[in-house]
């Protein structure tokens, strides 16, 4: 039972750290163009000339 004294604040700190990282990514535009990244991943622009 004494271990909860350490685990509860640790869990809250890790949750706060995750929230801070998410908010940082949101403010820096990491989620602005989700469709563009998906289309670039399946694009055939990097194929050699003889395979086209």
């Amino acid at each position: 039972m004494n271990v909860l004294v350490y685990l509860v604040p640790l869990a809250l700190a890790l949750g706060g750290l995750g929230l801070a990282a998410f908010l940082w990514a949101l403010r820096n535009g990491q989620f602005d163009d989700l469709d563009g990244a998906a289309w670039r991943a399946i694009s055939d622009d990097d194929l050699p000339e003889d395979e086209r």
Side-chain angles (χ1 to χ4, degrees), residues 2 12 14 16 19 26-27 29 32-34 47 50-52:
N2 291 334
L12 290 174
L14 287 176
L19 180 63
L26 194 62
R27 273 189 244 120
D32 284 346
D33 185 22
L34 297 178
L47 289 178
D50 59 342
E51 292 184 18
R52 288 186 185 179

Side-chain angles (χ1 to χ4, degrees), residues 25-50:
L26 194 62
R27 273 189 244 120
N28 286 320
Q30 297 293 318
F31 304 108
D32 284 346
D33 185 22
L34 297 178
D35 290 331
W39 283 109
R40 280 192 303 274
I42 61 172
S43 154
D44 288 336
D45 293 340
D46 57 349
L47 289 178
E49 289 296 322
D50 59 342

